[in-house]
């Protein structure tokens, strides 16, 4: 098995990535990302944790049904704790995929067994065997993960893994759950497993690394060098805390250093940047300019000395070509005189499959934008599509806003909303700034106490007339009783209540801010309604 | 030498970090960062590249004079190419520090020698010896870097390094200039140097890694494991392209895994978060939420399973305490009834040393803010200080703005500015959004063609009434002839023209946007005037 020269790319953006604080995605967003992951060429999509909520279950089922049925569809995996209920639920969610996988996990470190699970080592071994055997009775493709393997006693870990193999696991995934290990240690852990666990050479060994010390990529590569043939990754390295190993860094290292690895992946590297942008837009998690591979500056050179070298020979300072990751393609595309057909082709080329009705709405927005902007770039079109199509159900609809502000003035907004009952209501408010005044006016109408935890705006293209994209996060205001819908998330040091993100795009950032707030409010109200 | 258990932390935020596209810092900002780096406890501050411009020279000189004269001052280093002119200039800039260092460099890879420098290997050896000897004749502390060492022929590299040692170099810094190597390779390179270069064990070997493949931290650690005793790093890992190895990741790995390294640094880890925020604010380079150690989510937990474990025992998912890096200290501090004395103590505790006049201005802004906000957090005070104090010379001053906008309205702004000649001018404009209309109105008065390349806003604290901090970048509009002041930066694929950043803070984001634009315009005009 370790003779293979293919590294299996297991993408967990929709599961571990979505666990990032505030990254909550709705079903349509998850589906769109899953389609793009298929286009990118990942081998496995972990689509969610079906037992976690009805919404999670439905998202995994739709990914399995829609993306998992494509030609050359990736494997669709669902996560489950090591018990029958979780595993049955995961199976129900993934079974409609052409190639389903159940991924079940149980902690093996003493610290987790003692403090979190409160079970003995014997009980851990027993549960592992039972869970894997049950999963295998449902599905031919079963992955088992010993959580916190990096801090587990190796001898006990070997014992658990042997039981998992005997019970039918086809992939053993080794997580460094807390991002604690060094490359030499993590590589040694993988080697130790391959050498000491009977049957380990007949299954796929996988690495699942976290980036708490900035070592997730290096640890994953060390695992590959020691026999791992699957890596679990996310786009942009998002995930709990400092996130997971990032797909783009591992894939591009294998791609850039073939002599060192002699291994390949099925990833189409030219889809990397587009995937990165999609995930960043939907999760609201920004990519820093100096992020490897996908940061805005990853291929930019500022200093005179470097620029001089670059002009003489790009190889002096560049080890990859920007085109390889999908950067630098036609930036300028459509304008005022572009017809519906040209627009439709462009939207399709950008990877969106829109219904006729959605296309009409987006085309209308596009024509409005053409009146305001000389040049409409790909990023503008993506912002419009995201803004227009991938929004939560519209319980409350923004009909009109009007704002005046300035230095020494009292920022004042008036807002008109149409409610779920179809009734139009309007109100006005004064705030500390124009956005604050708009939000206060909306609050007077909607009356759902919440706290704004994050607010950011960026221009989606260069130029003074750019479209502004606003991302916000809100959380239900526990003090005012709005969190009483059974979520049970606790807010203590280091822990956060569940948050809801919203995005909005417009050339007027005040209008975009209002849209983003309505989007987050509607998302929160939908979840509360569904009792998610 | 390699028996030492201290790792020398060489911070190049002000040199390599400032080379990040758009990160241009003014002298006051550089000084403030240098003071904070001293507080953080770095061993060496590389303050700039003195030959690059009169502004760079002056910044290095002031850092040497002011920070380099403190009690327990760090070493102040200046960069120089391997020629007499550069080295003399660097020496003039750093000589007033208690402990000055000259850092000179020359490429040793064939690709750089052939394509960029167009010199032979013999010439490279000769220049190295001459440059180091000249530097050593001026300064007892001389560092030599063979640029692109990672892609150099090892035998030739050994030869050059031997010459550098004989000529008097006290530190040999090995850069992986293009971020191309893997940890095993880079560790091997360091080991090879220590084993094969005569005298290498009597000098400090240093590692300078770039993050193009996401491996800068792992490569630096591999260097330490193979005998390096200095690492060159930046705060937040900023720098050319994907940036440099990040100080916080390396320091916290050494701190978290003492058994693996048995090494220590002089860094006060509780200053890490504050330094990170200061550098992010001044450079305008955001830190992504999932950045290790300093990202907003690095210590946050979302998923129910993790939260459950965290509540039972933080060690289940946490390998560091947030307090260790300076997070989670008193968030709420001052309010409406705080007097000048309490405010002054707070500002001092935050690390600012303000003149009486500056303190008065900031205190006035603080009182205004108290009228608008219930609670004033540390971040609010930092935003005010940054906004009020660390601004470029005010050639044009914003006196008044007024804006109205909304859905279906034409965003309209009127602006009043006071010019360098003291004359007050006003004008109005319609735009695609409120910010656009303000910028157009300002442009009608100031009339300096420029292009907006980046625009972002974020709230500095949680809550709907938060202060918004706007960061923008502009570049002179070459097409309109405003770039004709001898900068000679070329705009080709992958290369950018020189950009100027501006920041502004206010509870009204339109006012903050106007301030940020004035700040960037004033910075650009000052540089043009000074002929930098």
């Amino acid at each position: 098995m370790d003779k293979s020269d293919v590294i299996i790319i297991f993408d967990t953006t929709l599961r571990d990535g979505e666990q990032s604080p505030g990254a909550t995605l709705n079903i349509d967003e998850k589906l769109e990302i899953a389609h793009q992951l298929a286009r990118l060429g990942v081998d496995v999509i972990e689509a969610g944790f079906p037992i976690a909520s009805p919404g999670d279950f439905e998202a995994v089922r739709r990914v399995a049904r829609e993306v998992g049925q494509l030609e050359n569809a990736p494997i669709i995996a669902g996560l489950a704790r090591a018990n029958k209920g979780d595993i049955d639920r995961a199976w129900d969610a993934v079974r409609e995929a052409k190639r389903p996988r159940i991924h079940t996990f149980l902690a093996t470190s003493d610290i987790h067994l003692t403090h979190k699970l409160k079970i003995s080592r014997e009980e851990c071994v027993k549960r592992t065997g039972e869970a894997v055997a049950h999963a295998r009775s449902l599905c031919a493709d079963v992955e088992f993960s010993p959580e916190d393997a990096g801090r587990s006693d190796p001898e006990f870990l070997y014992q658990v893994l042997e039981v998992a193999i005997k019970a039918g696991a086809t992939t053993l995934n080794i997580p460094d759950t807390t991002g604690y290990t060094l490359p030499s240690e993590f590589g040694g852990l993988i080697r130790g497993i391959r050498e000491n666990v009977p049957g380990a050479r007949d299954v796929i060994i996988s690495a699942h690394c976290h980036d708490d010390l900035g070592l997730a990529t290096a640890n994953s590569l060390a695992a590959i060098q020691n026999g791992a043939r699957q890596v679990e990754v996310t786009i942009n390295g998002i995930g709990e805390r400092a996130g997971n190993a990032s797909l783009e860094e591992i894939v591009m290292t294998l791609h850039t250093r073939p002599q060192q690895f002699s291994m390949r992946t099925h990833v189409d590297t030219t889809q990397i940047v587009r995937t990165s942008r999609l995930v960043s837009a939907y999760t609201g998690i920004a990519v820093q300019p100096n992020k490897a591979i996908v940061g805005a500056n990853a291929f930019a050179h500022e200093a005179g000395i470097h620029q001089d070298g670059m002009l003489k020979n790009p190889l002096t300072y560049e080890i990859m070509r920007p085109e390889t990751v999908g950067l630098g393609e036609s930036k300028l595309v459509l304008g005022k005189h572009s017809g519906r057909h040209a627009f439709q082709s462009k939207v399709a080329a950008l990877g969106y499959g829109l219904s006729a009705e959605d296309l009409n709405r987006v085309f209308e927005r596009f024509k409005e934008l053409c009146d305001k902007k000389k040049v409409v770039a790909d990023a503008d079109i993506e912002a419009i599509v995201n803004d227009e199509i991938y929004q939560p159900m519209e319980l409350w609809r923004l009909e009109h806003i009007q704002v005046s502000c300035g230095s020494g003035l009292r920022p004042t907004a008036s807002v008109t909303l149409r409610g779920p009952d179809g009734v139009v209501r309007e109100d006005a408010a004064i705030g500390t700034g124009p956005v604050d005044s708009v939000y206060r006016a909306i609050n007077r109408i909607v009356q759902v106490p919440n706290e704004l935890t994050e607010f950011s705006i960026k221009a989606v293209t260069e130029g003074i007339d750019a479209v502004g994209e606003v991302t916000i996060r809100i959380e239900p205001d526990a003090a005012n009783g709005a969190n009483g819908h059974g979520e049970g998330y606790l807010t203590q040091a280091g822990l956060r209540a569940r948050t809801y993100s919203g995005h909005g795009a417009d050339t007027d950032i005040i209008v975009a801010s209002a849209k983003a707030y309505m989007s987050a409010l509607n998302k929160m109200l939908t979840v509360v309604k569904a009792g998610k």
Side-chain angles (χ1 to χ4, degrees), chain A:
Chain A
M1 201 61 92
D2 56 311
K3 294 275 163 38
S4 162
D5 67 344
V6 172
I7 300 298
I8 298 167
I9 301 294
F10 177 111
D11 183 281
T12 184
T13 304
L14 296 178
R15 205 275 302 164
D16 217 351
E18 205 225 0
Q19 285 182 210
S20 309
T24 317
L25 298 165
N26 65 35
I27 291 181
D28 288 332
E29 290 167 336
K30 284 186 183 173
L31 266 174
E32 181 66 21
I33 290 173
H35 274 288
Q36 178 59 26
L37 290 171
R39 229 172 268 132
L40 176 65
V42 306
D43 302 284
V44 187
I45 294 175
E46 184 164 58
F49 189 8
I51 197 86
S53 75
D56 270 27
F57 175 84
E58 187 55 25
V60 176
R61 193 164 66 162
R62 287 196 50 199
V63 169
R65 188 184 287 165
E66 298 177 31
V67 180
Q69 284 287 345
L70 297 174
E71 213 186 314
N72 300 317
I75 294 168
I76 307 298
L79 186 68
R81 284 167 301 188
N83 66 60
K84 191 169 176 308
D86 273 37
I87 291 168
D88 289 343
R89 191 81 173 140
W91 173 240
D92 275 347
V94 298
R95 64 192 303 168
E96 290 179 70
K98 279 186 189 170
R99 298 193 293 156
R101 173 180 292 186
I102 296 172
H103 176 196
T104 186
F105 71 98
L106 186 63
T108 50
S109 69
D110 287 330
I111 189 163
H112 276 242
L113 293 180
T114 310
H115 294 285
K116 193 182 70 168
L117 300 171
K118 300 185 196 301
I119 61 172
S120 65
R121 285 186 169 192
E122 292 66 39
E123 178 66 18
C124 172
V125 171
K126 183 167 159 278
R127 286 194 194 176
T128 300
E130 288 170 2
V132 172
H134 179 62
R136 189 59 200 266
S137 75
L138 303 167
C139 182
D141 186 344
V142 174
E143 173 170 327
F144 173 74
S145 293
E147 194 185 6
D148 206 22
R151 292 191 298 180
S152 300
D153 167 15
E155 293 304 322
F156 177 62
L157 179 65
Y158 300 158
Q159 189 191 340
V160 173
L161 293 177
E162 184 181 352
V163 167
I165 294 173
K166 286 195 173 138
T170 47
T171 298
L172 295 181
N173 175 54
I174 312 304
D176 179 22
T177 305
T178 56
Y180 181 72
T181 62
L182 304 178
S184 52
E185 294 172 297
F186 195 70
L189 179 66
I190 299 292
R191 193 172 58 248
I193 289 166
R194 292 189 62 252
E195 285 171 358
N196 293 293
V197 177
R201 285 163 193 265
D202 303 319
V203 299
I204 296 281
I205 306 292
S206 166
H208 179 108
C209 298
H210 281 272
D211 205 35
D212 295 71
L213 295 173
L215 294 169
T217 296
N219 285 347
S220 303
L221 294 170
I224 290 173
Q225 286 171 321
N226 285 283
R229 285 299 172 268
Q230 173 177 291
V231 284
E232 302 201 355
V233 293
T234 61
I235 303 297
N236 302 337
I238 64 171
E240 288 274 356
R241 306 185 313 276
N244 290 61
S246 87
L247 181 143
E248 60 274 15
E249 292 176 8
I250 293 171
V251 166
M252 288 310 295
T253 301
L254 296 177
H255 190 270
T256 307
R257 306 303 314 274
Q259 309 85 342
Q260 294 296 317
F261 289 97
S262 320
M263 280 162 220
R264 61 198 177 84
T265 71
H266 296 127
V267 167
D268 173 1
T269 61
T270 65
Q271 291 289 327
I272 285 177
V273 166
R274 179 168 154 61
T275 315
S276 164
R277 288 182 183 162
L278 186 73
V279 169
S280 176
Y282 286 176
T283 59
I285 298 181
V287 175
Q288 66 195 14
N290 53 320
K291 169 76 176 69
I293 316 294
V294 294
N297 292 346
F299 292 92
H301 297 267
E302 173 92 351
I305 289 179
H306 282 208
Q307 295 198 341
D308 180 50
M310 283 293 291
L311 289 176
K312 287 177 179 158
N313 184 341
L315 283 177
T316 47
Y317 290 102
E318 203 170 78
I319 57 174
M320 297 167 265
R321 300 292 311 154
E323 297 77 26
T324 310
V325 297
L327 254 185
E329 289 166 78
S330 71
K331 271 180 93 173
L332 313 180
V333 279
L334 298 174
K336 204 163 183 131
H337 305 291
S338 308
R340 180 181 304 261
H341 189 71
F343 181 74
Q344 185 168 11
S345 309
K346 183 73 207 173
V347 169
L350 288 174
Y352 296 105
L354 301 185
S355 70
E357 189 195 338
D358 284 345
L359 188 75
N360 279 347
R361 270 160 54 209
V362 177
F363 185 65
E364 212 167 286
R365 283 282 299 274
F366 164 72
K367 292 309 259 186
E368 281 171 30
L369 185 62
C370 289
D371 286 338
K372 296 179 187 167
K373 266 194 96 190
K374 301 176 288 207
V375 179
V376 177
D378 290 2
D380 289 315
I381 296 177
E382 288 176 3
I384 294 177
V385 175
N386 297 347
D387 186 47
E388 202 56 50
I389 308 301
Y390 300 103
Q391 289 287 7
M393 212 193 327
E394 245 186 350
L395 295 172
W396 287 88
R397 188 185 165 83
L398 181 70
E399 299 264 307
H400 189 257
I401 75 166
Q402 186 175 331
V403 174
S404 70
C405 65
S407 46
L409 303 179
R410 303 298 312 247
T412 308
S414 61
V415 166
T416 311
L417 302 182
R418 183 180 298 274
D421 52 7
V423 176
V424 172
R425 295 173 176 84
E426 56 183 20
D427 212 325
I430 296 175
T432 58
V435 175
D436 185 34
S437 65
V438 168
Y439 288 14
R440 282 177 202 266
I442 291 172
N443 285 347
R444 282 188 163 167
I445 302 174
V446 178
Q447 299 194 355
V448 178
N450 68 78
E451 181 142 13
L452 186 73
T453 60
E454 205 181 310
F455 177 87
S456 65
I457 306 185
K458 62 177 183 139
V460 302
T461 56
E462 302 189 348
I464 195 171
D465 55 359
V467 171
E469 203 162 36
V470 175
T471 303
I472 72 160
R473 290 182 211 291
I474 58 176
E475 56 186 51
D477 191 346
N480 286 298
N483 202 12
H485 44 81
E487 291 208 44
Y489 283 88
L490 292 152
T491 351
Q492 296 207 358
L495 310 180
R496 301 185 72 118
R498 173 129 194 199
T499 60
Y500 299 89
S501 66
H503 57 90
D506 200 285
T507 53
D508 182 330
I509 58 173
I510 306 301
V511 175
S513 301
K515 287 182 179 175
Y517 188 52
M518 293 311 299
S519 154
L521 274 180
N522 281 325
K523 197 181 263 189
M524 189 169 94
L525 291 169
T526 310
V527 170
V528 174
K529 253 181 116 158
K532 182 183 176 176

